Amino acid sequence: MAMQSSEGIGSNLSQALGRLPALVAGGGVAWWFENGHLEKLSPDAAARRARATPPLLVHFKATAAKLGVEPFMAFDLLDLFAFVRPARFCLPTPHGLLERLNLDAADDEEAVQYLHHAAQMLLEDLPRQQPRALRRSMRLAQLLNKSGWPWAPYLLLGLGPEATQAPSGGFGGLDIWQELPEWVDYAPPPPPDTQSVSPSEARERLAQLLGTTAELRETQADYAATVAQAFAPREVIGMPEMVLAEAGTGIGKTLGYIAPASVWAEKNGGTVWLSTYTKNLQRQLDHELDRLFPDPAEKQGRVVIRKGRENYLCLLNLEDATQGGAARPQDMVPLSLIARWAGATRDGDLAGGDFPAWAADLHGRNRTLGLTDQRGECIHAACPHYRKCFIERAVRKSRKAEMVIANHALVMIQAAIGSSGGEDDAQKPLRYVFDEGHHLFEAADGAFAAHLTGMEGVDLRRWLRGPEGGRRSRARGIANRIGDLVAQDERGRTALEAVVEMARCLPGEGWLARIADGNPVGQGEKFLNKARQQILARSAQPDSPYGLECPTKEPVNGLIDAAMEFASGIDRVLEPVNTLTKALSDMLADETAELDTATRSRIEGALRGLLRRKLTLDAWRSMLLDLQTETPSTFVDWFGLERIDGRDLDLGLYRHYLDPMLPFAAAVLKPAHGVAVTSATLRDIAPAKADASPELAWDSAEIRSGARHLPQPARRAAFPSPFDYANRTRIFVVTDVRRDAMDQVAAAYRELFLAANGGALGLFTAIFRLRAVQKRILKPLADAGLPLYAQHVDPLDNATLVDIFRAEEHACLLGTDAMRDGVDVPGASLRLAVFDRVPWPRPDLLHKARKAAFGGQAYDDLLTRLKLKQAYGRLLRRADDYGVFVVLDAQLPSRLLTAFPASVEVKRLGIRDAVSETAAFLHGMRAGTGGQQNLA
């Protein structure tokens, strides 16, 4: 059959799409466009029409939320975009999608009239693919048509009549693994050389990165030269060349440390690990490296982003899901979108990479992010997709890359389990740059902690035993993963059987319900039952909707006996685990000549998995035994019950290091040859005292970077921000708003946001306070044309919320204090930041112990000043930025004000004056008069 002309297809698409209505909602109104007729409707009226006739829209869940109804069937353009343009970025809003298609809409009224054109543009793009991708699109379109996806008939129409004739195959096009290239293995690289990086080399490389159009700032060059000292040859074992470098906002620290790091990597044939705090910051750092490697092909070979296995698509999980999901039409859309994405992705990163985060919001985490290797059940070389595995490809690339972009959590976890790349200790990094270094303490706190909880126990039991009770699961027990490896080894086979049997002592599926009913099964559940009894008995508010905790001292009757029984059960698991580990190790040593590469790889992977679980079991056993004596002084132990909105989620025994930088220094710093720790907020400048030394400001950096645990002091340098904070920012402390009166707090947020005309970030110390304010201010802001987005309310992930906030100049965003580090919004989109109250540390048992160890009230003050400093620092990201910082808490102590630049006056005033001065200052800055005319 002759191919239908593109003009004919386009005409058919236009006619078919023209029959659909289009909907855009926001600001308390909805715009409905149908048959060329535009209507402005109330949310209720729009919801009734949408239920009757599925419309074109963008993000069906967010649209339904704006209409105040449950999600309804719709033609979501985001799904169409993800199918047609996989691995491409798009803001999940009508204006964001239109912008990606180069369609400009001034407002929602205009945007709704463009949605038909946007759909047609995407559908007309489909036939323009490469032949192989085109054939797969046709097969997927057939599959989706059978599954009832609303867009499927339009896909088939856009692809032309050939689409209905293409063979669908057994997987209907979902088997993308068939087309992925295999990774290439390389010989182990030689050890890197140890040549230093001179200050002049660092400066010269910085100048190259900046290019001829940018001015080389002396302070940035000085910073690069200082960081270069971390790349000097190590003088003493266990003492890295360590630099603590505070770089105020605007210094340009990212390029400043990339310069010496890249010189060292080139001169020495080695790899530098650049670690930052969040996955979003990894993405930003990756973009900065485009300056160093402007050619994408060259960059692919010299830069790799590394994350934990739980971030990458597991092809075996995808295959299992496609086989098991044949009778589940609701799974076909997310699986098809993932198949399309997997064929186009840069690195297979589902969480924070080029997979659209909003796809998980639309289709559920289990159907998208749940396809990663979340349970550590990788079977390595036994997997039929091993040679195409995304994580294995990343591991191998990182061995020969010059720059590895990591996150603190990955670095810590690898150090904790003694393996750098999941493969070989010989590849352990020797040179690190830790950006956002003020977060190292909390990253280490999470990585080196041990949690003996019900959920952790279930995960370990599943890893050992596999799914039980006929449950449908992609999980594989250890016998399924390695049973064939030890089938001919009686010692290993017997140990494997014993491991599976003895793992019954661990909590099983449904443990929480059994404990709540008073019917725990097995030693683990009986211990948790007693722990729960103690938590509830010792709590002043056992019915609280929030989490509870209590000390481990003076245990309730029967708890110690239950703990010792559980410890004995863990002993009975550890014994065959050790035997099995020895059997596998001996197999590697004794059968070297017989083992092929794939089998060796499987054994090594099994050993790494066993070692990691052995470390966990050893820690749990020690925690249980210590209940009958005293917790070692290096640790803090407590019982905890996790709750959300009054619903129990998990409970157990928790152990954290009193100072987590102690294991961090031992596992990361001391083996390294050079480490640079940098941030805009390394130091804490406490209130000046007559006898105080400026060096005291570095005490907090020494403590929270681990430097104080090294035999020699680190080099230290601070580079102040070049920004004119005195003239470009204002700081107000509101004195007449009761922080416990949510009506007053909400009214203050409303008036401040209106005064700023949007571009406002609201930070909260508790989720319930955020939600209370959001409910109160949503309508008045909408009436003023100011979109309001909120973490914990809108069905969008944090990164997407920030992306939307950045793109919409008059939007307002509410988030908890934890969101502040992800808000990097230069320009006019952020001109007002409001904190609901002083962000004191949460007074839990762990903090209580650290407060006593690290200086009492001074420790509270240190942590709070750092939070205030970080939040205030969000306002100015470029020299031409400006903004107002407001704290709605009259009880903000003066001793915390050193968090702010000394040149900026902190004014205490009532909410009326704060609103007036905010409006005047921002208006003056926009008008170019400096905001001075109406200020007292």
Side-chain angles (χ1 to χ4, degrees):
M1 180 181 291
M3 179 173 288
Q4 186 175 352
S5 69
S6 59
E7 292 82 0
I9 292 176
S11 176
N12 292 339
L13 282 173
S14 180
Q15 293 178 22
L17 291 170
R19 302 186 189 103
L20 300 176
L23 170 64
V24 171
V29 300
W31 293 97
W32 186 272
F33 186 64
E34 186 172 10
N35 295 323
H37 180 59
L38 177 68
E39 292 182 79
K40 182 178 181 181
L41 303 176
S42 69
D44 288 342
R48 287 193 297 271
R49 289 201 187 180
R51 291 194 191 99
T53 307
L56 289 169
L57 50 71
V58 176
H59 204 299
F60 77 96
K61 287 189 176 180
T63 302
K66 291 175 181 177
L67 298 178
V69 297
E70 291 297 315
F72 46 82
M73 182 178 173
F75 290 82
D76 199 327
L77 281 159
L78 288 178
D79 279 342
L80 183 61
F81 183 92
F83 188 92
V84 176
R85 298 187 178 184
R88 302 276 289 276
F89 177 77
C90 172
L91 275 180
T93 65
H95 295 277
L97 182 135
L98 294 176
E99 182 180 348
R100 293 300 298 173
L101 299 175
N102 296 317
L103 299 173
D104 184 26
D107 50 30
D108 289 352
E109 179 181 357
E110 191 173 342
V112 73
Q113 300 176 68
Y114 274 115
L115 295 188
H116 293 88
H117 186 42
Q120 182 163 347
M121 288 179 65
L122 289 171
L123 290 167
E124 289 177 349
D125 269 356
L126 271 175
R128 300 178 183 134
Q129 306 173 76
Q130 294 295 323
R132 177 179 289 184
L134 180 60
R135 289 192 296 271
R136 185 167 296 277
S137 295
M138 292 178 176
R139 294 166 60 197
L140 288 170
Q142 292 182 52
L143 175 69
L144 291 167
N145 195 43
K146 294 176 183 176
S147 301
W149 189 37
W151 279 117
Y154 297 88
L155 292 180
L156 293 171
L157 186 60
L159 289 166
E162 290 78 10
T164 59
Q165 301 168 10
S168 60
F171 287 89
L174 295 172
D175 53 344
I176 186 62
W177 54 85
Q178 303 285 2
E179 295 179 3
L180 296 178
E182 294 188 351
W183 45 259
V184 179
D185 218 343
Y186 304 93
D193 204 347
T194 58
Q195 299 179 64
S196 61
V197 177
S198 69
S200 60
E201 287 177 308
R203 292 173 187 271
E204 289 171 7
R205 176 56 55 85
L206 177 62
Q208 294 173 14
L209 293 172
L210 291 171
T212 57
T213 59
E215 180 183 355
L216 180 62
R217 290 168 288 174
E218 193 59 32
T219 308
Q220 185 182 25
D222 290 343
Y223 170 80
T226 298
V227 174
Q229 297 177 76
F231 295 95
R234 185 173 67 171
E235 298 282 338
V236 180
I237 292 177
M239 181 61 221
E241 299 300 313
M242 188 168 186
V243 173
L244 302 179
E246 181 176 272
T249 305
I251 289 294
K253 64 180 170 64
T254 305
L255 292 181
Y257 63 69
I258 286 175
S262 61
V263 172
W264 184 88
E266 289 179 13
K267 289 179 66 174
N268 295 285
T271 302
V272 180
W273 279 53
L274 308 177
S275 179
T276 189
Y277 184 52
T278 67
K279 297 168 187 175
N280 291 329
L281 292 171
Q282 281 183 271
R283 184 173 60 184
Q284 293 177 26
L285 181 52
D286 179 49
H287 291 161
E288 290 287 356
L289 283 168
D290 289 344
R291 293 173 179 260
L292 183 62
F293 304 112
D295 178 6
E298 180 186 13
K299 184 181 178 184
Q300 276 275 49
R302 301 174 74 174
V303 176
V304 61
I305 299 177
R306 280 295 313 277
K307 300 178 182 178
R309 284 183 174 270
E310 69 279 2
N311 293 278
Y312 295 87
L313 173 65
C314 170
L315 295 173
L316 186 56
N317 279 346
L318 176 60
E319 181 180 0
D320 287 351
T322 58
Q323 292 175 333
R328 295 171 54 89
Q330 67 269 32
D331 291 344
M332 291 300 103
V333 175
L335 290 175
S336 296
L337 297 183
I338 286 177
R340 288 281 291 163
W341 166 81
T345 179
R346 168 184 169 182
D347 54 15
D349 179 7
L350 274 171
D354 50 17
F355 183 74
W358 39 261
D361 297 328
L362 291 177
H363 298 289
R365 298 179 64 86
N366 288 339
R367 298 176 184 176
T368 52
L369 304 184
L371 296 178
T372 60
D373 178 22
Q374 298 186 67
R375 304 182 184 93
E377 295 170 344
C378 179
I379 57 176
H380 301 280
C383 177
H385 310 304
Y386 179 68
R387 298 291 303 187
K388 300 181 178 183
C389 175
F390 288 115
I391 181 61
E392 295 295 337
R393 186 188 312 277
V395 167
R396 281 155 182 78
K397 284 181 63 179
S398 67
R399 291 175 178 172
K400 67 184 189 69
E402 293 182 10
M403 300 283 178
V404 174
I405 304 172
N407 57 69
H408 298 347
L410 176 68
V411 172
M412 309 284 181
I413 291 170
Q414 289 183 163
I417 63 175
S419 176
S420 68
E423 290 293 323
D424 187 353
D425 280 345
Q427 302 296 324
K428 199 162 192 173
L430 300 178
R431 302 283 175 174
Y432 294 100
V433 176
F434 289 104
D435 198 351
E436 299 296 305
H438 60 283
H439 282 301
L440 282 174
F441 191 95
E442 56 195 288
D445 188 33
F448 296 103
H451 294 175
L452 201 181
T453 70
M455 291 179 67
E456 293 288 330
V458 168
D459 279 348
L460 180 52
R461 176 170 173 147
R462 187 187 300 115
W463 190 86
L464 293 170
R465 292 182 55 81
E468 300 177 81
R471 293 176 61 89
R472 174 175 168 166
S473 171
R474 294 192 301 273
R476 305 170 187 85
I478 190 171
N480 286 336
R481 291 194 300 276
I482 68 169
D484 61 311
L485 293 176
V486 296
Q488 305 304 315
D489 183 318
E490 182 177 356
R491 177 182 53 157
R493 186 178 66 252
T494 302
L496 178 61
E497 293 170 353
V499 167
V500 173
E501 179 61 29
M502 293 299 105
R504 293 181 183 274
C505 74
L506 298 170
E509 296 285 354
W511 66 276
L512 193 56
R514 288 192 293 273
I515 288 176
D517 293 339
N519 298 309
V521 175
Q523 296 153 322
E525 292 183 20
K526 290 177 180 178
F527 165 72
L528 292 174
N529 186 51
K530 283 296 179 180
R532 182 174 184 269
Q533 176 186 334
Q534 177 155 329
I535 295 167
L536 296 177
R538 304 287 165 82
S539 174
Q541 295 179 299
D543 296 327
S544 168
Y546 309 110
L548 305 173
E549 59 181 20
C550 73
T552 59
K553 295 180 179 179
E554 300 187 51
V556 298
N557 186 37
L559 189 148
I560 293 299
D561 290 340
M564 295 308 103
E565 283 292 323
F566 192 19
S568 297
I570 289 176
D571 274 334
R572 288 191 287 274
V573 179
L574 278 168
E575 182 178 352
V577 164
N578 290 331
T579 302
L580 181 58
T581 301
K582 184 66 166 59
L584 290 170
S585 298
D586 289 348
M587 194 179 300
L588 285 176
D590 299 340
E591 301 179 23
T592 300
E594 292 82 12
L595 295 177
D596 58 41
T597 301
T599 303
R600 289 190 65 86
S601 177
R602 286 186 62 197
I603 295 173
E604 290 167 353
L607 283 170
R608 287 192 299 275
L610 284 168
L611 173 61
R612 188 168 182 175
R613 275 73 193 180
K614 180 182 182 301
L615 291 173
T616 297
L617 289 166
D618 283 336
W620 288 359
R621 178 179 178 277
S622 296
M623 293 161 65
L624 292 167
L625 294 177
D626 287 341
L627 288 173
Q628 61 184 343
T629 55
E630 285 287 329
T631 300
S633 59
T634 52
F635 297 117
V636 180
D637 290 355
W638 72 93
F639 291 119
L641 172 61
E642 294 184 29
R643 282 179 176 167
I644 292 182
D645 296 330
R647 182 169 59 93
D648 291 357
L649 295 179
D650 200 9
L651 74 94
L653 174 61
Y654 296 80
R655 166 168 286 182
H656 283 237
Y657 274 89
L658 181 63
D659 180 1
M661 304 318 289
L662 192 64
F664 171 73
V668 179
L669 296 183
K670 292 182 179 179
H673 286 205
V675 178
V677 178
T678 187
S679 168
T681 53
L682 282 183
R683 298 177 301 158
D684 174 52
I685 302 176
K689 297 181 181 178
D691 58 347
S693 164
E695 292 300 304
L696 291 178
W698 284 101
D699 287 352
S700 63
E702 295 275 351
I703 292 171
R704 298 180 68 77
S705 68
R708 74 168 183 163
H709 297 300
L710 297 178
Q712 299 176 19
R715 298 179 178 89
R716 306 182 300 200
F719 302 86
S721 171
F723 292 162
D724 184 5
Y725 288 104
N727 289 314
R728 304 196 69 82
T729 68
R730 294 291 181 266
I731 302 174
F732 302 138
V733 178
V734 175
T735 58
D736 58 356
V737 171
R738 283 179 48 202
R739 61 182 185 176
D740 58 341
M742 295 313 299
D743 284 340
Q744 293 186 30
V745 174
Y749 270 99
R750 180 191 68 223
E751 295 306 315
L752 287 165
F753 284 13
L754 290 172
N757 195 28
L761 171 67
L763 294 172
F764 292 82
T765 52
I767 295 174
F768 83 91
R769 292 173 65 84
L770 180 154
R771 288 173 172 164
V773 168
Q774 189 269 348
K775 289 179 181 179
R776 290 167 169 85
I777 70 174
L778 177 62
K779 188 177 187 307
L781 292 185
D783 291 342
L786 304 181
L788 177 66
Y789 302 96
Q791 181 191 18
H792 305 294
V793 176
D794 289 306
L796 298 164
D797 68 290
N798 289 358
T800 300
L801 286 170
V802 173
D803 285 339
I804 295 172
F805 179 60
R806 184 185 297 113
E808 299 183 6
E809 184 175 332
H810 299 291
C812 301
L813 175 63
L814 306 181
T816 55
D817 178 38
M819 180 182 260
R820 70 184 184 278
D821 288 297
V823 180
D824 188 7
V825 182
S829 290
L830 177 54
R831 49 190 176 270
L832 172 67
V834 184
F835 236 131
D836 69 324
R837 58 183 177 182
V838 178
W840 295 113
R842 181 184 173 193
D844 54 27
L845 293 174
L846 179 59
H847 177 72
K848 179 181 178 181
R850 287 177 176 161
K851 181 177 178 179
F854 294 137
Q857 183 60 50
Y859 183 63
D860 278 352
D861 292 351
L862 180 155
L863 296 181
T864 307
R865 277 192 294 267
L866 288 177
K867 287 184 178 181
L868 290 170
K869 188 174 182 180
Q870 279 288 314
Y872 171 76
R874 301 297 98 187
L875 285 176
L876 267 62
R877 312 304 291 172
R878 301 186 309 210
D880 58 348
D881 286 350
Y882 56 87
V884 177
F885 186 78
V886 180
V887 181
L888 299 175
D889 192 344
Q891 298 182 35
L892 176 66
S894 297
R895 66 181 183 276
L896 300 183
L897 300 184
T898 52
F900 308 117
S903 61
V904 182
E905 177 189 4
V906 178
K907 299 185 68 173
R908 295 181 182 269
L909 69 183
I911 185 61
R912 185 191 65 179
D913 292 339
V915 170
S916 173
E917 296 202 19
T918 295
F921 175 74
L922 295 178
H923 175 76
M925 295 304 295
R926 283 193 296 270
T929 60
Q932 303 293 327
Q933 70 277 19
N934 292 320
L935 295 180

